[in-house]
Amino acid sequence: MSPLLATPLRCVLAAAGLAVSLLPRRAEMFLGPLLGRLVLALGFRRRIALENIRNCLPELGPRGRELLLRKNYEHYGILFFEFLHFFSPLKGHYRAYGARISRLEGLEHLERANAKGKGVIVVSAHLGFWEMNPVAGALAGVKPTVVTTVLKPRWLHEKVTAARAEAGVAAALHPGSVPTVLKALRRGECVAFMNDQYARPPMGLRVRFFGVLVDTLAAVAPIAARTGAAVVPVAGYRDAEGLCRVRVEPELEIDRSAGGVEATTARLAAKVEGWVRERPEQWLWIHRRFKHVDWNDRI
């Protein structure tokens, strides 16, 4: 981004961050869907989302697909307001916002897995306002590290990273995230992977997802085998009142052998698919998840 554009944009985001800091949650829940419908009317990524929905959920039919599409874009509108809280100029705001809108359920599963002393690998997905998943954990005393990428431009990356850190969430930056991940696990902490996006080889492995073979992140199984870390699924969603419900599920028993990578990756993909089917309106249908897929091979 041009330096001439960076400063005005930073000022605009700071002003927007201040505005949402003062906005009641019920206002975000009202304004977000209106914004989402406007974005849908403008056609932003509509074709991608509709194609993904049609291929993954053919049982919905035309009317069902259009209804899901509208609800999905209403979700993106709410997400827009939620992400603006990263840019609040008020000290401590992002952590306070997380405490206000998130609720953690099933903490005992994390505590039981963590008691084994090998660290915990959390497997999650881009459902609801997924940034609240590690925040809710941090507020409950967990030490989470999220595996993420470096954002551009640099000032944007630094702002988002600072907000996460303020809420008690560390980051392992990809590429090159493995040393940070291993150190966190050796300290007995939690490391979170998002297991629902496209990942090309060698990081990705082709497993079944919504009935078709598609490249899927395969990092969890080898790291779990190498470290002995527990693998715990965590799903988040936003309820009708605007609370981000972060649900910790029991630890998964996985095959930690060298030959177990494909089986574990497939099992995690099935877990994510189950979450998406449960809350399809809150998933990222606009993501190009199904690259190089032959839908005629669907089972």
Side-chain angles (χ1 to χ4, degrees):
M1 178 180 291
S2 167
L4 294 176
L5 296 176
T7 299
L9 180 57
R10 293 174 73 171
C11 292
V12 168
L13 288 174
L18 177 60
V20 296
S21 301
L22 306 175
L23 200 64
R25 180 60 166 165
R26 62 181 179 276
E28 293 181 340
M29 295 297 292
F30 174 76
L31 295 173
L34 297 179
L35 176 62
R37 287 176 215 154
L38 174 60
V39 173
L40 176 58
L42 294 174
F44 176 73
R45 291 203 167 218
R46 174 191 169 93
R47 183 185 61 79
I48 297 170
L50 193 56
E51 182 178 309
N52 283 338
I53 291 170
R54 182 174 59 249
N55 286 327
C56 292
L57 304 172
E59 66 275 13
L60 290 180
R63 291 185 63 184
R65 289 195 291 268
E66 289 294 335
L67 178 59
L68 175 54
L69 191 69
R70 178 175 62 79
K71 289 183 177 180
N72 189 230
Y73 273 76
E74 290 176 351
H75 160 65
Y76 300 144
I78 298 171
L79 270 179
F80 174 79
F81 284 95
E82 291 169 335
F83 274 110
L84 284 178
H85 287 270
F86 275 119
F87 305 100
S88 173
L90 303 180
K91 185 175 178 60
H93 169 75
Y94 188 68
R95 182 181 179 90
Y97 180 63
R100 180 157 56 92
I101 73 164
S102 70
R103 297 293 183 272
L104 184 67
E105 304 166 2
L107 177 60
E108 67 276 8
H109 299 307
L110 269 180
E111 292 175 335
R112 192 174 298 120
N114 196 47
K116 296 182 177 181
K118 300 289 187 177
V120 177
I121 298 174
V122 166
V123 176
S124 194
H126 291 86
L127 278 164
F129 183 30
W130 57 87
E131 289 285 349
M132 282 297 105
N133 296 2
V135 172
L139 290 168
V142 177
K143 293 183 178 180
T145 294
V146 296
V147 178
T148 186
T149 57
V150 176
L151 300 173
K152 294 180 181 180
R154 188 68 191 180
W155 62 263
L156 177 63
H157 175 80
E158 290 173 352
K159 183 64 177 175
V160 170
T161 300
R164 286 174 176 152
E166 173 185 89
V169 179
L173 301 176
H174 181 75
S177 61
V178 173
T180 303
V181 167
L182 296 178
K183 288 177 183 177
L185 293 175
R186 281 197 292 267
R187 293 194 298 266
E189 298 173 2
C190 292
V191 176
F193 287 86
M194 306 300 277
N195 241 72
D196 60 336
Q197 291 194 296
Y198 178 83
R200 62 189 177 189
M203 292 298 293
L205 185 66
R206 289 178 72 79
V207 297
R208 293 280 172 186
F209 185 60
F210 280 95
V212 290
L213 290 171
V214 58
D215 293 323
T216 301
L217 182 68
V220 171
I223 293 176
R226 178 175 176 178
T227 63
V231 177
V232 176
V234 176
Y237 70 94
R238 187 190 310 104
D239 69 17
E241 303 302 317
L243 280 177
C244 295
R245 303 279 183 181
V246 181
R247 184 181 67 204
V248 183
E249 299 182 4
E251 177 186 352
L252 287 177
E253 293 298 328
I254 64 170
D255 184 349
R256 297 175 185 271
S257 69
V261 174
E262 183 173 352
T264 297
T265 303
R267 187 175 181 188
L268 295 179
K271 172 64 70 174
V272 170
E273 180 179 333
W275 292 337
V276 175
R277 289 184 179 276
E278 184 180 352
R279 303 277 176 179
E281 73 282 0
Q282 294 188 32
W283 192 50
L284 283 183
W285 292 106
I286 59 174
H287 171 57
R288 295 183 184 274
R289 176 65 180 91
F290 299 94
K291 297 178 184 178
H292 315 302
V293 160
D294 181 4
W295 285 100
N296 294 320
D297 185 42
R298 179 172 180 162
I299 60 171

